[in-house]
Amino acid sequence: KTSSLEERNAHSGRAAAVVDLFRRVDVHGEGVITWDEVSNYLIDHGVAGGDQFTVDSIKPYRASSVSDAVKHDTAVEKLVYLEQMDVVACLNHNSRRFRLYDPITCKVRTEVHGHRGSVVNCCYVNGLNQMATTGADMTICLWDAGSLGLRNRMTAKDVQLCLCGAASLDGLFSGSIDGTLSRWDLQNMCLSDTRRGQHKDAINDLLMVEDIDLLASGSSDGSTIMWDLETLRPKKTFKGHHKGTFKGHRKGTFSLAYSLDYRCLLTAGLEQEALVWNPYVEKVPIFRLRGHTNALCGVAVVSGTPQVITADVKGVFRLWDMRNFRCVQSFGGKESQVSCLNTFCVMPGHRRLAAGGACVTLFDYMDEWDGETVTEVGGVTDALYNPSAGEFYTLSKTHVKAWSAGTGVLFKVLHDVTKKEITACCLAENGRKLYLGDACGRVAAHSANNGTLLTEFEPHAKDVSCLAVWPGTNKLVSAAWDGAVKVHADERSRMPYVKAEFTHHRDGVTCLAVSSELMLMATGGTDTQVCLYDLKTLKLDHTLTRLQHVVSGLDFMSSRCILAVADQGGYVSLWRVRPHPDKWTRVHHFTNWPLLRTAGSDMKLDEASVAAIPLHAVRFAPTPVPEVDMPMSTSPLLYTGDAKGNLRCWDLSLLCERKGVVDMDLRELFERQHFAQLNTAPGGSLRAASAPASGTAGSGAAGSSVAPASALEQAPVAATAASSAGADAAASAFLTGVDAGSSDVKQHGGREARERGKPFASTVRSAFMLAGDELSKVAPAAAEERKEVQLILEVEGHDDAVFRLHLTRRPASLISAGQDNRVRTWNLHLQPLGLLLQKTDPAYKFPYDPLAAQRAKLEEASELLGSVRPWSPQLKLPKLPKSAAPPSGAQSARGPHDTLGGLKAGGRGWHRAQSDPDEKWKLMASRVISDPNAEALDYEILFEQMGQAGQAPPDIDLAGAAAERLLQKAHARQAGLMTQRSRALSADEASAADRLARAMAAVGGDDFGAYETMARSIRPRSRSKTPSRGHTGRTPRSAR
């Protein structure tokens, strides 16, 4: 039993992996994949989803803001980074002194004199904690690493061009201008050994290869030799001669580097390419790093990373990936003011490199791990949660990062997904596609797995500001800063098109909300208005213009027909929307005042403050709140994020109770609205009694608080009457500019106020300046209004403005993104669940259980395996015997009905089949009949094939079926021979014909394929007509 259980689990695991792969390939959610899609996915995943999308991928270098302030009399000849001393040694041309730079500030720490000739090279001696330099005066000087005082001086026979310290032997190696390799005894300060004759020219560089205890030397003769450290004998020689061909350096070797992680030796000469060698293979290099257009001046490996850097004399650097020898970046040159380069060095500890030419120039490695306490160093555009994959996506500039929802660890980076900066994004309902909008107006769909471009939609003229998915459909809504709103149809694998375009905003669109239950879409803009569109007709339904500030947030409470509007003035207004009878009316408004800190624990709004805090995001909590055991879980809640980084939760239960804002039966509301429209239409004769009863049974869910539509006209009456005493007085002090913002109020509001004998407040400031009895009358009413919305939770979530809020249902949580470059997660009590940090947050506890998700996948796979029928090989049906074929001319002598009838009865002209049916036919029929899962199509195929063999069952009208089939073929042939247009239609007309054909086929109105054939015939493609035989293509003279 244990083995069988393990076997079932193994089968379920493999099936779950197959299902996961299927869903990754089927990004459009069609439920069907083709072999081309599978192969394209494998190719894209291998090419685009490889190392370049991993976290440890190589980032680019940029010119540093730190510059060299020292004026150099001569060019910088040599730069050497001494890691043990954490300094950069700068050696100038024909200079007897050398400078030591601070690698962080690029300032000179000290300037050292001591050589009688120009300083040529230097290195660090580990065993003595000293620095060694060599000069043109044929001496080697040793300096104390701390005080930089001269400790010893050794004289050589020739000029030593390079130095290399040996830590294990307390020795020093040098290469001379005549090709002699020397070893110096630093204990006795004398020359201990020399080797000459191996190199025919000057030794330009020495490198210690520690993992194999060899010393590498590069010479101007083009050869590279590895020496044994004990005996100082050559062990390996890299020249590039192999089978009569030379593949090494022809112009000398001037720079050496070794990758300890990848066991590769790199050499650079005066050619335009660097060579990569296997240290155990001397014959030929394993790769050539090509791409430079000028002679190289050096090659370097950044230790601990796969980075290889090469540079040429024109100051152009190339960054290579050691894992695949691919060039990742090309930088420097004239754009960085490095037009002439002599030397460079890397500083791995500081993620920086220094280039030497006319001065010292620094380049910084743009490693995002520097910002360990932020989510994105360059700022967060948005943050999305994918419940189906258990992943977070954060977007910044042109890349997308994927984070594990279970651990909060960054595990994938999709670099350069778009060419321009990402300005808006949203996630498809199936969680497999990311819709991205960029700064040039481009809107496209990308794979959430590897960022592959899937679909491009019609672009905008300006930056894309908002993107949203119409839930339950394949529609995408996009808005831009020019005020245009477009509804795109993402026809999955077909060509997308624009279903509607709106230009009702006078300025940019700032926010967007879609409600599939209400069939409404709302857009808010910088023109201080909210436009509402009917998603059924795709037309403008209404415009809310009674606003004074830029609209910054929108959200629907669909069950109660409420729209929340937040603006940058710090005000939130609640509006009824259709299908409510009181649609487009304001229910309530409140202000986001600063919080007044008191000694107690109670929160109190500082309503005496001069200005409210601007709002940037607003979200309704789902009601009832899932997974929350609190008394407030059944209350309608509203979350806001403001410019001070505060997250607040507002309780609307008292407001809803007083104003009669309850859950409604939307279906009944829509029906009543439809009947009302019919009654008010011209010529409408429907009676009111024909409307559906409002209190019908089953209109709402059991145990829910759904109110019948008939109560809509009665519910607000009591609340309106209760607050009518202060409503008129409070109208002139409406803080969202209801009276001051609309033109009709400006024209008539002042006159009406004067007629009532009351002062008219045109602005918020003038409302506060009201004095005397009028202000005392307004204040109690305003206080009563404010009590209807209570602030119950408040937290300082971010150090800067909160500009994005997202609510998730599985699990119930809140995601906030701020301008402090952080993304935070909260539960619905505004208790922190953790941050998405490049260095993992130790307090991360987002309630996502990957084991439960895996168990759900295994259960789904197990159900799938249980529904799959066992496969059995089908027997090959025998061919019809030649005796079954009709004689020549038989069909022409008999009518079609006689011929079809003869198929069943074996009439005249046909050779009757044998009386005993074939055993294979019997077996096939018995299998189909005994199969409990056999479908109608299986029987149709069986009867058709048996009919062809003359063995149809007696209870099947084979003649009628064959006649119908022949009739369908005749109609299809006739449709194919129909006269076609001589000129093809446009692409839009052809796509319309395709949609018509698909629609007719879907409703069963294209049995013979006529619509499909016509649509195929008018597609815009080039068709060449071949003239028939005997036709010369000339027009007859009689027809001219």
mmCIF file of all heavy atoms in Angstrom, residues 527-568:
data_model
loop_
_atom_site.group_PDB
_atom_site.id
_atom_site.type_symbol
_atom_site.label_atom_id
_atom_site.label_comp_id
_atom_site.label_asym_id
_atom_site.label_seq_id
_atom_site.Cartn_x
_atom_site.Cartn_y
_atom_site.Cartn_z
ATOM 1 N N ASP A 527 -8.266 67.395 -14.953
ATOM 2 C CA ASP A 527 -9.272 68.409 -15.249
ATOM 3 C C ASP A 527 -10.373 68.438 -14.200
ATOM 4 O O ASP A 527 -11.432 69.032 -14.430
ATOM 5 C CB ASP A 527 -9.878 68.162 -16.632
ATOM 6 C CG ASP A 527 -10.436 66.752 -16.774
ATOM 7 O OD1 ASP A 527 -10.279 65.953 -15.826
ATOM 8 O OD2 ASP A 527 -11.009 66.447 -17.833
ATOM 9 N N THR A 528 -10.155 67.783 -13.053
ATOM 10 C CA THR A 528 -11.042 67.782 -11.883
ATOM 11 C C THR A 528 -12.434 67.270 -12.226
ATOM 12 O O THR A 528 -13.435 67.792 -11.720
ATOM 13 C CB THR A 528 -11.149 69.185 -11.250
ATOM 14 O OG1 THR A 528 -11.845 70.054 -12.149
ATOM 15 C CG2 THR A 528 -9.776 69.736 -10.941
ATOM 16 N N GLN A 529 -12.540 66.274 -13.054
ATOM 17 C CA GLN A 529 -13.824 65.669 -13.334
ATOM 18 C C GLN A 529 -13.666 64.155 -13.427
ATOM 19 O O GLN A 529 -12.574 63.636 -13.688
ATOM 20 C CB GLN A 529 -14.424 66.223 -14.626
ATOM 21 C CG GLN A 529 -13.676 65.855 -15.894
ATOM 22 C CD GLN A 529 -14.364 66.391 -17.141
ATOM 23 O OE1 GLN A 529 -15.360 67.090 -17.061
ATOM 24 N NE2 GLN A 529 -13.827 66.052 -18.301
ATOM 25 N N VAL A 530 -14.800 63.485 -13.211
ATOM 26 C CA VAL A 530 -14.853 62.032 -13.285
ATOM 27 C C VAL A 530 -15.839 61.665 -14.382
ATOM 28 O O VAL A 530 -16.997 62.103 -14.370
ATOM 29 C CB VAL A 530 -15.299 61.415 -11.939
ATOM 30 C CG1 VAL A 530 -15.435 59.903 -12.066
ATOM 31 C CG2 VAL A 530 -14.312 61.763 -10.843
ATOM 32 N N CYS A 531 -15.367 60.875 -15.341
ATOM 33 C CA CYS A 531 -16.213 60.418 -16.440
ATOM 34 C C CYS A 531 -16.595 58.966 -16.198
ATOM 35 O O CYS A 531 -15.729 58.136 -15.861
ATOM 36 C CB CYS A 531 -15.490 60.550 -17.781
ATOM 37 S SG CYS A 531 -15.080 62.244 -18.235
ATOM 38 N N LEU A 532 -17.869 58.655 -16.372
ATOM 39 C CA LEU A 532 -18.368 57.299 -16.196
ATOM 40 C C LEU A 532 -18.903 56.795 -17.524
ATOM 41 O O LEU A 532 -19.667 57.496 -18.202
ATOM 42 C CB LEU A 532 -19.451 57.244 -15.122
ATOM 43 C CG LEU A 532 -18.943 57.563 -13.709
ATOM 44 C CD1 LEU A 532 -19.465 58.906 -13.265
ATOM 45 C CD2 LEU A 532 -19.327 56.484 -12.723
ATOM 46 N N TYR A 533 -18.515 55.580 -17.874
ATOM 47 C CA TYR A 533 -18.835 55.003 -19.176
ATOM 48 C C TYR A 533 -19.634 53.720 -18.976
ATOM 49 O O TYR A 533 -19.364 52.937 -18.056
ATOM 50 C CB TYR A 533 -17.560 54.699 -19.965
ATOM 51 C CG TYR A 533 -16.597 55.851 -20.059
ATOM 52 C CD1 TYR A 533 -15.602 56.030 -19.101
ATOM 53 C CD2 TYR A 533 -16.657 56.762 -21.107
ATOM 54 C CE1 TYR A 533 -14.708 57.082 -19.182
ATOM 55 C CE2 TYR A 533 -15.763 57.818 -21.200
ATOM 56 C CZ TYR A 533 -14.798 57.975 -20.228
ATOM 57 O OH TYR A 533 -13.919 59.015 -20.309
ATOM 58 N N ASP A 534 -20.599 53.527 -19.871
ATOM 59 C CA ASP A 534 -21.387 52.303 -19.884
ATOM 60 C C ASP A 534 -20.601 51.244 -20.656
ATOM 61 O O ASP A 534 -20.310 51.406 -21.845
ATOM 62 C CB ASP A 534 -22.730 52.560 -20.566
ATOM 63 C CG ASP A 534 -23.670 51.372 -20.433
ATOM 64 O OD1 ASP A 534 -23.181 50.245 -20.193
ATOM 65 O OD2 ASP A 534 -24.882 51.555 -20.583
ATOM 66 N N LEU A 535 -20.238 50.172 -19.981
ATOM 67 C CA LEU A 535 -19.438 49.143 -20.628
ATOM 68 C C LEU A 535 -20.255 48.297 -21.593
ATOM 69 O O LEU A 535 -19.676 47.586 -22.425
ATOM 70 C CB LEU A 535 -18.807 48.238 -19.565
ATOM 71 C CG LEU A 535 -17.736 48.900 -18.695
ATOM 72 C CD1 LEU A 535 -17.188 47.914 -17.680
ATOM 73 C CD2 LEU A 535 -16.613 49.476 -19.536
ATOM 74 N N LYS A 536 -21.568 48.364 -21.483
ATOM 75 C CA LYS A 536 -22.390 47.582 -22.405
ATOM 76 C C LYS A 536 -22.482 48.255 -23.762
ATOM 77 O O LYS A 536 -22.370 47.611 -24.811
ATOM 78 C CB LYS A 536 -23.780 47.385 -21.805
ATOM 79 C CG LYS A 536 -24.659 46.440 -22.599
ATOM 80 C CD LYS A 536 -25.970 46.181 -21.885
ATOM 81 C CE LYS A 536 -26.830 45.184 -22.677
ATOM 82 N NZ LYS A 536 -28.118 44.908 -21.989
ATOM 83 N N THR A 537 -22.678 49.572 -23.740
ATOM 84 C CA THR A 537 -22.775 50.317 -25.000
ATOM 85 C C THR A 537 -21.467 50.983 -25.385
ATOM 86 O O THR A 537 -21.355 51.498 -26.497
ATOM 87 C CB THR A 537 -23.863 51.386 -24.872
ATOM 88 O OG1 THR A 537 -23.506 52.304 -23.809
ATOM 89 C CG2 THR A 537 -25.203 50.757 -24.562
ATOM 90 N N LEU A 538 -20.493 51.005 -24.441
ATOM 91 C CA LEU A 538 -19.204 51.665 -24.658
ATOM 92 C C LEU A 538 -19.411 53.120 -25.069
ATOM 93 O O LEU A 538 -18.843 53.621 -26.045
ATOM 94 C CB LEU A 538 -18.377 50.914 -25.707
ATOM 95 C CG LEU A 538 -17.857 49.540 -25.289
ATOM 96 C CD1 LEU A 538 -17.080 48.883 -26.409
ATOM 97 C CD2 LEU A 538 -16.988 49.648 -24.046
ATOM 98 N N LYS A 539 -20.237 53.799 -24.262
ATOM 99 C CA LYS A 539 -20.499 55.207 -24.474
ATOM 100 C C LYS A 539 -20.433 55.934 -23.137
ATOM 101 O O LYS A 539 -20.581 55.324 -22.072
ATOM 102 C CB LYS A 539 -21.874 55.433 -25.114
ATOM 103 C CG LYS A 539 -21.983 54.907 -26.541
ATOM 104 C CD LYS A 539 -23.360 55.195 -27.124
ATOM 105 C CE LYS A 539 -23.452 54.684 -28.560
ATOM 106 N NZ LYS A 539 -24.786 54.943 -29.156
ATOM 107 N N LEU A 540 -20.209 57.244 -23.217
ATOM 108 C CA LEU A 540 -20.173 58.054 -22.005
ATOM 109 C C LEU A 540 -21.562 58.083 -21.388
ATOM 110 O O LEU A 540 -22.553 58.412 -22.049
ATOM 111 C CB LEU A 540 -19.702 59.470 -22.330
ATOM 112 C CG LEU A 540 -19.648 60.448 -21.146
ATOM 113 C CD1 LEU A 540 -18.564 60.015 -20.160
ATOM 114 C CD2 LEU A 540 -19.391 61.860 -21.636
ATOM 115 N N ASP A 541 -21.646 57.757 -20.095
ATOM 116 C CA ASP A 541 -22.933 57.725 -19.399
ATOM 117 C C ASP A 541 -23.166 58.992 -18.598
ATOM 118 O O ASP A 541 -24.269 59.537 -18.596
ATOM 119 C CB ASP A 541 -22.988 56.494 -18.497
ATOM 120 C CG ASP A 541 -24.419 56.093 -18.183
ATOM 121 O OD1 ASP A 541 -25.329 56.870 -18.508
ATOM 122 O OD2 ASP A 541 -24.628 55.002 -17.618
ATOM 123 N N HIS A 542 -22.141 59.475 -17.891
ATOM 124 C CA HIS A 542 -22.320 60.656 -17.055
ATOM 125 C C HIS A 542 -20.942 61.223 -16.726
ATOM 126 O O HIS A 542 -19.924 60.523 -16.803
ATOM 127 C CB HIS A 542 -23.070 60.299 -15.767
ATOM 128 C CG HIS A 542 -23.472 61.495 -14.956
ATOM 129 N ND1 HIS A 542 -24.518 62.319 -15.319
ATOM 130 C CD2 HIS A 542 -22.969 62.017 -13.810
ATOM 131 C CE1 HIS A 542 -24.643 63.290 -14.430
ATOM 132 N NE2 HIS A 542 -23.709 63.122 -13.501
ATOM 133 N N THR A 543 -20.938 62.503 -16.332
ATOM 134 C CA THR A 543 -19.707 63.180 -15.934
ATOM 135 C C THR A 543 -19.942 63.884 -14.619
ATOM 136 O O THR A 543 -20.906 64.672 -14.492
ATOM 137 C CB THR A 543 -19.250 64.189 -16.993
ATOM 138 O OG1 THR A 543 -19.059 63.518 -18.231
ATOM 139 C CG2 THR A 543 -17.938 64.836 -16.575
ATOM 140 N N LEU A 544 -19.079 63.624 -13.622
ATOM 141 C CA LEU A 544 -19.130 64.304 -12.336
ATOM 142 C C LEU A 544 -18.179 65.484 -12.394
ATOM 143 O O LEU A 544 -16.956 65.307 -12.428
ATOM 144 C CB LEU A 544 -18.737 63.357 -11.200
ATOM 145 C CG LEU A 544 -19.548 62.061 -11.067
ATOM 146 C CD1 LEU A 544 -18.998 61.210 -9.928
ATOM 147 C CD2 LEU A 544 -21.016 62.367 -10.834
ATOM 148 N N THR A 545 -18.744 66.679 -12.421
ATOM 149 C CA THR A 545 -17.933 67.889 -12.563
ATOM 150 C C THR A 545 -17.879 68.714 -11.289
ATOM 151 O O THR A 545 -17.227 69.742 -11.262
ATOM 152 C CB THR A 545 -18.487 68.765 -13.695
ATOM 153 O OG1 THR A 545 -19.854 69.088 -13.410
ATOM 154 C CG2 THR A 545 -18.404 68.037 -15.016
ATOM 155 N N ARG A 546 -18.573 68.284 -10.243
ATOM 156 C CA ARG A 546 -18.637 69.073 -9.010
ATOM 157 C C ARG A 546 -17.429 68.796 -8.126
ATOM 158 O O ARG A 546 -17.540 68.476 -6.947
ATOM 159 C CB ARG A 546 -19.934 68.768 -8.275
ATOM 160 C CG ARG A 546 -21.170 69.067 -9.097
ATOM 161 C CD ARG A 546 -22.413 68.540 -8.421
ATOM 162 N NE ARG A 546 -22.627 69.160 -7.114
ATOM 163 C CZ ARG A 546 -23.550 68.762 -6.245
ATOM 164 N NH1 ARG A 546 -24.328 67.731 -6.543
ATOM 165 N NH2 ARG A 546 -23.689 69.366 -5.080
ATOM 166 N N LEU A 547 -16.262 68.893 -8.671
ATOM 167 C CA LEU A 547 -15.017 68.656 -7.947
ATOM 168 C C LEU A 547 -14.082 69.837 -8.179
ATOM 169 O O LEU A 547 -14.133 70.493 -9.227
ATOM 170 C CB LEU A 547 -14.355 67.355 -8.407
ATOM 171 C CG LEU A 547 -15.208 66.087 -8.252
ATOM 172 C CD1 LEU A 547 -14.561 64.935 -8.989
ATOM 173 C CD2 LEU A 547 -15.392 65.742 -6.788
ATOM 174 N N GLN A 548 -13.210 70.065 -7.216
ATOM 175 C CA GLN A 548 -12.356 71.240 -7.279
ATOM 176 C C GLN A 548 -10.885 70.883 -7.448
ATOM 177 O O GLN A 548 -10.120 71.700 -7.943
ATOM 178 C CB GLN A 548 -12.532 72.093 -6.021
ATOM 179 C CG GLN A 548 -11.820 73.431 -6.061
ATOM 180 C CD GLN A 548 -12.078 74.259 -4.822
ATOM 181 O OE1 GLN A 548 -12.743 73.793 -3.908
ATOM 182 N NE2 GLN A 548 -11.565 75.468 -4.795
ATOM 183 N N HIS A 549 -10.486 69.673 -7.060
ATOM 184 C CA HIS A 549 -9.079 69.298 -7.078
ATOM 185 C C HIS A 549 -8.855 68.147 -8.049
ATOM 186 O O HIS A 549 -9.797 67.496 -8.512
ATOM 187 C CB HIS A 549 -8.609 68.899 -5.675
ATOM 188 C CG HIS A 549 -8.767 69.980 -4.660
ATOM 189 N ND1 HIS A 549 -7.839 70.980 -4.483
ATOM 190 C CD2 HIS A 549 -9.755 70.232 -3.762
ATOM 191 C CE1 HIS A 549 -8.234 71.791 -3.530
ATOM 192 N NE2 HIS A 549 -9.404 71.358 -3.061
ATOM 193 N N VAL A 550 -7.597 67.910 -8.330
ATOM 194 C CA VAL A 550 -7.220 66.823 -9.219
ATOM 195 C C VAL A 550 -7.649 65.496 -8.613
ATOM 196 O O VAL A 550 -7.358 65.205 -7.445
ATOM 197 C CB VAL A 550 -5.694 66.825 -9.464
ATOM 198 C CG1 VAL A 550 -5.273 65.607 -10.273
ATOM 199 C CG2 VAL A 550 -5.281 68.101 -10.178
ATOM 200 N N VAL A 551 -8.358 64.704 -9.386
ATOM 201 C CA VAL A 551 -8.819 63.399 -8.914
ATOM 202 C C VAL A 551 -7.636 62.440 -8.891
ATOM 203 O O VAL A 551 -6.923 62.289 -9.889
ATOM 204 C CB VAL A 551 -9.943 62.856 -9.811
ATOM 205 C CG1 VAL A 551 -10.421 61.505 -9.314
ATOM 206 C CG2 VAL A 551 -11.097 63.843 -9.875
ATOM 207 N N SER A 552 -7.414 61.796 -7.752
ATOM 208 C CA SER A 552 -6.237 60.934 -7.596
ATOM 209 C C SER A 552 -6.571 59.477 -7.314
ATOM 210 O O SER A 552 -5.678 58.631 -7.389
ATOM 211 C CB SER A 552 -5.354 61.468 -6.460
ATOM 212 O OG SER A 552 -6.094 61.565 -5.259
ATOM 213 N N GLY A 553 -7.825 59.169 -6.987
ATOM 214 C CA GLY A 553 -8.173 57.785 -6.687
ATOM 215 C C GLY A 553 -9.638 57.511 -6.906
ATOM 216 O O GLY A 553 -10.494 58.357 -6.607
ATOM 217 N N LEU A 554 -9.948 56.304 -7.431
ATOM 218 C CA LEU A 554 -11.320 55.877 -7.668
ATOM 219 C C LEU A 554 -11.464 54.419 -7.275
ATOM 220 O O LEU A 554 -10.535 53.633 -7.456
ATOM 221 C CB LEU A 554 -11.705 56.033 -9.145
ATOM 222 C CG LEU A 554 -11.730 57.433 -9.758
ATOM 223 C CD1 LEU A 554 -11.879 57.332 -11.269
ATOM 224 C CD2 LEU A 554 -12.857 58.265 -9.166
ATOM 225 N N ASP A 555 -12.653 54.075 -6.754
ATOM 226 C CA ASP A 555 -12.937 52.672 -6.496
ATOM 227 C C ASP A 555 -14.442 52.495 -6.342
ATOM 228 O O ASP A 555 -15.147 53.391 -5.853
ATOM 229 C CB ASP A 555 -12.220 52.166 -5.241
ATOM 230 C CG ASP A 555 -12.172 50.645 -5.198
ATOM 231 O OD1 ASP A 555 -12.262 50.031 -6.278
ATOM 232 O OD2 ASP A 555 -12.054 50.071 -4.103
ATOM 233 N N PHE A 556 -14.936 51.320 -6.779
ATOM 234 C CA PHE A 556 -16.357 50.994 -6.714
ATOM 235 C C PHE A 556 -16.639 50.072 -5.537
ATOM 236 O O PHE A 556 -15.839 49.171 -5.237
ATOM 237 C CB PHE A 556 -16.817 50.294 -7.993
ATOM 238 C CG PHE A 556 -16.958 51.198 -9.181
ATOM 239 C CD1 PHE A 556 -15.966 51.249 -10.149
ATOM 240 C CD2 PHE A 556 -18.084 51.976 -9.342
ATOM 241 C CE1 PHE A 556 -16.098 52.062 -11.255
ATOM 242 C CE2 PHE A 556 -18.228 52.798 -10.444
ATOM 243 C CZ PHE A 556 -17.232 52.845 -11.402
ATOM 244 N N MET A 557 -17.774 50.290 -4.871
ATOM 245 C CA MET A 557 -18.379 49.296 -4.000
ATOM 246 C C MET A 557 -19.614 48.807 -4.747
ATOM 247 O O MET A 557 -20.717 49.353 -4.605
ATOM 248 C CB MET A 557 -18.752 49.873 -2.634
ATOM 249 C CG MET A 557 -19.230 48.803 -1.652
ATOM 250 S SD MET A 557 -19.920 49.498 -0.116
ATOM 251 C CE MET A 557 -18.462 50.202 0.608
ATOM 252 N N SER A 558 -19.402 47.789 -5.573
ATOM 253 C CA SER A 558 -20.427 47.384 -6.530
ATOM 254 C C SER A 558 -21.697 46.907 -5.852
ATOM 255 O O SER A 558 -22.802 47.172 -6.333
ATOM 256 C CB SER A 558 -19.866 46.284 -7.440
ATOM 257 O OG SER A 558 -18.722 46.739 -8.133
ATOM 258 N N SER A 559 -21.582 46.205 -4.740
ATOM 259 C CA SER A 559 -22.770 45.647 -4.095
ATOM 260 C C SER A 559 -23.699 46.727 -3.573
ATOM 261 O O SER A 559 -24.894 46.481 -3.385
ATOM 262 C CB SER A 559 -22.353 44.718 -2.955
ATOM 263 O OG SER A 559 -21.626 45.438 -1.970
ATOM 264 N N ARG A 560 -23.187 47.948 -3.344
ATOM 265 C CA ARG A 560 -24.015 49.025 -2.811
ATOM 266 C C ARG A 560 -24.135 50.198 -3.787
ATOM 267 O O ARG A 560 -24.621 51.266 -3.397
ATOM 268 C CB ARG A 560 -23.452 49.515 -1.473
ATOM 269 C CG ARG A 560 -23.272 48.382 -0.472
ATOM 270 C CD ARG A 560 -23.050 48.872 0.928
ATOM 271 N NE ARG A 560 -22.860 47.749 1.849
ATOM 272 C CZ ARG A 560 -23.028 47.817 3.163
ATOM 273 N NH1 ARG A 560 -23.423 48.955 3.713
ATOM 274 N NH2 ARG A 560 -22.826 46.764 3.917
ATOM 275 N N CYS A 561 -23.636 50.018 -5.017
ATOM 276 C CA CYS A 561 -23.758 51.046 -6.058
ATOM 277 C C CYS A 561 -23.125 52.352 -5.608
ATOM 278 O O CYS A 561 -23.723 53.433 -5.724
ATOM 279 C CB CYS A 561 -25.206 51.270 -6.454
ATOM 280 S SG CYS A 561 -26.053 49.796 -7.038
ATOM 281 N N ILE A 562 -21.910 52.284 -5.075
ATOM 282 C CA ILE A 562 -21.213 53.451 -4.549
ATOM 283 C C ILE A 562 -19.874 53.595 -5.263
ATOM 284 O O ILE A 562 -19.171 52.604 -5.505
ATOM 285 C CB ILE A 562 -20.998 53.328 -3.024
ATOM 286 C CG1 ILE A 562 -22.330 53.407 -2.295
ATOM 287 C CG2 ILE A 562 -20.062 54.412 -2.513
ATOM 288 C CD1 ILE A 562 -23.022 54.741 -2.402
ATOM 289 N N LEU A 563 -19.525 54.830 -5.585
ATOM 290 C CA LEU A 563 -18.228 55.169 -6.151
ATOM 291 C C LEU A 563 -17.526 56.123 -5.197
ATOM 292 O O LEU A 563 -18.089 57.151 -4.792
ATOM 293 C CB LEU A 563 -18.381 55.832 -7.519
ATOM 294 C CG LEU A 563 -17.105 56.436 -8.132
ATOM 295 C CD1 LEU A 563 -16.100 55.339 -8.474
ATOM 296 C CD2 LEU A 563 -17.436 57.269 -9.365
ATOM 297 N N ALA A 564 -16.291 55.783 -4.810
ATOM 298 C CA ALA A 564 -15.473 56.649 -3.956
ATOM 299 C C ALA A 564 -14.508 57.432 -4.823
ATOM 300 O O ALA A 564 -13.823 56.859 -5.676
ATOM 301 C CB ALA A 564 -14.712 55.826 -2.920
ATOM 302 N N VAL A 565 -14.459 58.744 -4.584
ATOM 303 C CA VAL A 565 -13.585 59.644 -5.348
ATOM 304 C C VAL A 565 -12.674 60.353 -4.358
ATOM 305 O O VAL A 565 -13.158 61.038 -3.444
ATOM 306 C CB VAL A 565 -14.392 60.663 -6.161
ATOM 307 C CG1 VAL A 565 -13.453 61.575 -6.946
ATOM 308 C CG2 VAL A 565 -15.361 59.961 -7.105
ATOM 309 N N ALA A 566 -11.368 60.177 -4.518
ATOM 310 C CA ALA A 566 -10.378 60.859 -3.689
ATOM 311 C C ALA A 566 -9.622 61.853 -4.548
ATOM 312 O O ALA A 566 -9.334 61.575 -5.722
ATOM 313 C CB ALA A 566 -9.414 59.855 -3.057
ATOM 314 N N ASP A 567 -9.302 63.007 -3.971
ATOM 315 C CA ASP A 567 -8.596 64.032 -4.744
ATOM 316 C C ASP A 567 -7.386 64.528 -3.970
ATOM 317 O O ASP A 567 -7.182 64.195 -2.805
ATOM 318 C CB ASP A 567 -9.532 65.176 -5.135
ATOM 319 C CG ASP A 567 -10.171 65.861 -3.934
ATOM 320 O OD1 ASP A 567 -9.479 66.037 -2.918
ATOM 321 O OD2 ASP A 567 -11.361 66.204 -4.010
ATOM 322 N N GLN A 568 -6.605 65.346 -4.645
ATOM 323 C CA GLN A 568 -5.378 65.856 -4.045
ATOM 324 C C GLN A 568 -5.629 67.009 -3.086
ATOM 325 O O GLN A 568 -4.684 67.551 -2.521
ATOM 326 C CB GLN A 568 -4.411 66.283 -5.152
ATOM 327 C CG GLN A 568 -3.895 65.120 -5.964
ATOM 328 C CD GLN A 568 -2.844 65.521 -6.969
ATOM 329 O OE1 GLN A 568 -2.441 66.681 -7.034
ATOM 330 N NE2 GLN A 568 -2.383 64.568 -7.767
#
